[in-house]
Amino acid sequence: MSSPPPPLGNNGLLKNVHRFVAAVAVPLAAAALAAAARLLPQEATSGWLRDARPVHLFLAVFLPAAAATVYLLLRPRAVYLVDYACFRTAPNCRVPFSTFLEHAKQVPALNERSIRFMTKLLERSGLGEETCLPPAHHYIPTYKYCTLDAARGEVDLVVFGALDDLFAKTGLSPSAIDILVVNCSLFCPTPSFVDMIINRYKLRSDVRSVHLAGMGCSAGIVSVGLARSLLQVAPENSHALVVSTETITPNYYVGSERAMLLPNCLFRIGGAAALLSNSPSKARFRLKHVVRTLTGAQDSAYACVFQEEDDVGNVGINLSKDLMTIAGNALKANITAIGPLVLPASEQLMFAAAFIARKVLGGGRFRPYIPDFRTAFEHFCIHAGGRAVIDELQRSLGLSDEQVEASRMALHRFGNTSSSSLWYELAYIEAKGRMRRGDRVWMIGFGSGFKCNSAAWECIQPAANAEGPWATCIHRYPVDIPDVLKH
């Protein structure tokens, strides 16, 4: 849902005045320089300048100045991350495996076979015993309490909790927000999320607002990309608020289809808010690139994460058995697109040589060359969609255990928090004190459709402390995560 464009305002008017002055001043300055050169004493000018015609002097000065002015006016404006905040889960929302399974046993459609399946899945999932679910999921039987009011209550808890922390950290007044982008895939109430936020924080009537739905776990990067595009054409010193979450309450599946029980076991409560700006003032990161790859033209990719009804009419998310293969193909397409933007020349040459060799001499004789992205980034935030997702990306990209540590620990402590998981991982890296000025961060998200999206950041100012979602537990991490977690 989008509001109409705001009026020009003082900032926009000043910006247009600056552009007009620059456009007029360049030719006038060039003409003045040419005229001044003709009026100088002969002994003060060189031979070529004295003999040149006025039109030549004008062009010699005007063309470079005009080209420089056009470049400065039309180049994409840099976008920065001022700060971010993640929802801090409360101890009373914690759901150990035993509690989760006890609640599952109260669902009439689930038999012992289904419970054994869920038990094995949880033991091998990479989740720990401290992940959290929304308040409605703590009642028995759970499905009877997953109401619309309960879903709105989860939004109040998660979204407003993260936003309160963000406004407190940045000291920015809500009235200074110019752009608001929210993503939540499966819960899209009326009024929308952006309306709820505008009402809660009394944002201005001219704020540009968008709610993105149905775009899955990679929607957080889509939101960042959209906010960047809006900021690049907004007046100077504008601010964009990006909120990423997934409301768990109304999406509790009560059937017995195994492929649709997976989200019940993996997804947990979570959310994040990020403040972006087109001004470097107080910025902590610079957004370098956003690269989106959509493979939805392929039927198998389009249907691999699909909301549907099972045989008896229960609504849930069906995760295809081909999901990892499709994710791998989407990742290859995405790294092919982002590689030329971030990799050093040596890696690009190696990749190009391998590609040509496979084309000329036959693909069977040469293995595909995977660029070493460790030469382009110091830190990696891989969507914590599950242990298999992290394992596959670690293998495909040749990453070390430490480089995927943030993803594994975020999955262990918070579970799959959908599009907000990348921000929990960035918070982990900063809480461990590993971020340095100039470090580069690669965020990789996967989502329904099927999408693989990337965002590349450069650190300007690391966090001063470990305040955030890891504040009370960072001293216990990293932890060893066995292949099978017995409880």
Side-chain angles (χ1 to χ4, degrees):
M1 182 172 183
S2 177
S3 62
L8 190 59
N10 292 334
N11 287 340
L13 180 61
L14 287 174
K15 184 178 179 183
N16 287 339
V17 169
H18 292 161
R19 287 179 172 175
F20 174 77
V21 170
V24 173
V26 169
L28 290 179
L33 286 173
R38 301 298 294 176
L39 295 175
L40 286 173
Q42 291 188 357
E43 61 272 14
T45 60
S46 61
W48 73 268
L49 184 59
R50 185 174 59 252
D51 298 334
R53 296 181 180 180
V55 65
H56 295 158
L57 291 175
F58 180 80
L59 292 176
V61 176
F62 173 76
L63 289 181
T69 302
V70 170
Y71 170 76
L72 291 174
L73 291 176
L74 298 182
R75 67 174 179 173
R77 184 180 297 167
V79 172
Y80 303 88
L81 172 65
V82 179
D83 216 329
Y84 64 97
C86 299
F87 169 67
R88 306 187 193 195
T89 54
N92 62 344
C93 289
R94 188 174 69 91
V95 180
F97 290 176
S98 57
T99 301
F100 180 89
L101 294 171
E102 181 63 30
H103 284 226
K105 291 177 182 178
Q106 309 306 315
V107 178
L110 294 180
N111 53 31
E112 283 299 321
R113 187 166 175 263
S114 298
I115 298 298
R116 285 197 301 270
F117 168 76
M118 298 173 72
T119 302
K120 291 180 179 179
L121 179 62
L122 285 171
E123 292 174 344
R124 293 162 174 79
S125 65
L127 275 68
E129 296 276 12
E130 295 182 272
T131 62
C132 296
L133 284 171
H137 286 224
H138 292 260
Y139 293 93
I140 296 178
T142 299
Y143 60 92
K144 288 188 176 181
Y145 294 88
C146 294
T147 63
L148 182 60
D149 285 343
R152 284 199 170 100
E154 182 184 344
V155 175
D156 291 350
L157 176 68
V158 177
V159 173
F160 297 156
L163 285 172
D164 287 346
D165 281 353
L166 182 62
F167 285 128
K169 288 174 69 174
T170 60
L172 189 74
S173 169
S175 63
I177 299 300
D178 304 285
I179 298 164
L180 174 61
V181 182
V182 181
N183 65 269
C184 181
S185 288
L186 295 174
F187 182 52
C188 190
T190 299
S192 69
F193 272 54
V194 293
D195 298 322
M196 296 166 71
I197 294 171
I198 289 170
N199 178 261
R200 171 64 177 261
Y201 295 98
K202 309 305 177 187
L203 302 188
R204 301 197 317 264
S205 61
D206 63 350
V207 64
R208 299 187 179 188
S209 56
V210 182
H211 179 173
L212 301 177
M215 304 196 76
C217 300
S218 68
I221 295 179
V222 178
S223 295
V224 169
L226 176 58
R228 179 191 64 168
S229 298
L230 293 173
L231 282 171
Q232 287 176 334
V233 297
E236 295 177 6
N237 300 315
S238 294
H239 295 89
L241 195 59
V242 174
V243 179
S244 297
T245 189
E246 190 59 70
T247 305
I248 306 298
T249 298
N251 299 299
Y252 188 84
Y253 175 63
V254 295
S256 58
E257 182 66 37
R258 289 192 173 191
M260 301 172 76
L261 285 171
L262 289 170
N264 280 11
C265 298
L266 297 177
F267 281 85
R268 295 293 185 267
I269 189 173
L275 180 65
L276 305 181
S277 177
N278 53 19
S279 168
S281 177
K282 299 182 180 180
R284 296 192 48 231
F285 290 85
R286 179 180 178 181
L287 180 58
K288 302 288 287 185
H289 305 286
V290 174
V291 176
R292 296 173 55 187
T293 302
L294 179 61
T295 62
Q298 305 167 20
D299 292 343
S300 59
Y302 170 74
C304 72
V305 180
F306 209 83
Q307 186 178 28
E308 62 183 12
E309 295 179 339
D310 62 14
D311 294 338
V312 295
N314 297 312
V315 177
I317 302 296
N318 192 319
L319 301 181
S320 168
K321 64 180 185 301
D322 299 322
L323 177 59
M324 293 311 304
T325 301
I326 293 167
N329 293 334
L331 174 65
K332 291 176 185 177
N334 190 262
I335 64 176
T336 301
I338 197 174
L341 302 176
V342 299
L343 288 170
S346 58
E347 283 296 316
Q348 295 195 45
L349 287 173
M350 290 286 290
F351 180 79
F355 179 80
I356 294 172
R358 285 174 57 83
K359 288 294 184 182
V360 174
L361 301 177
R365 298 177 58 183
F366 294 89
R367 296 181 60 185
Y369 179 73
I370 303 298
D372 186 359
F373 280 92
R374 294 173 297 181
T375 62
F377 300 101
E378 285 74 32
H379 307 286
F380 298 82
C381 297
I382 300 167
H383 168 53
R387 168 176 267 166
V389 174
I390 301 171
D391 289 345
E392 178 62 23
L393 264 73
Q394 180 179 10
R395 183 193 63 80
S396 299
L397 298 176
L399 303 180
S400 67
D401 289 341
E402 183 175 339
Q403 287 168 327
V404 298
E405 181 183 304
S407 301
R408 293 195 190 280
M409 297 307 111
L411 179 65
H412 180 271
R413 175 60 183 85
F414 297 102
N416 182 347
T417 58
S418 190
S419 57
S420 66
S421 67
L422 301 173
W423 298 105
Y424 283 93
E425 294 163 25
L426 182 60
Y428 177 87
I429 296 169
E430 295 207 277
K432 297 298 287 186
R434 296 173 182 171
M435 190 68 69
R436 298 289 183 269
R437 182 173 301 178
D439 280 2
R440 297 156 298 178
V441 183
W442 186 11
M443 289 183 172
I444 311 173
F446 297 92
S448 57
F450 187 82
K451 293 177 283 291
C452 177
N453 300 326
S454 291
W457 304 86
E458 180 180 354
C459 179
I460 299 174
Q461 182 63 49
N465 51 55
E467 287 297 322
W470 297 91
T472 60
C473 60
I474 192 62
H475 60 283
R476 295 191 275 111
Y477 283 86
V479 297
D480 178 62
I481 303 176
D483 293 336
V484 179
L485 179 64
K486 295 299 182 181
H487 57 94

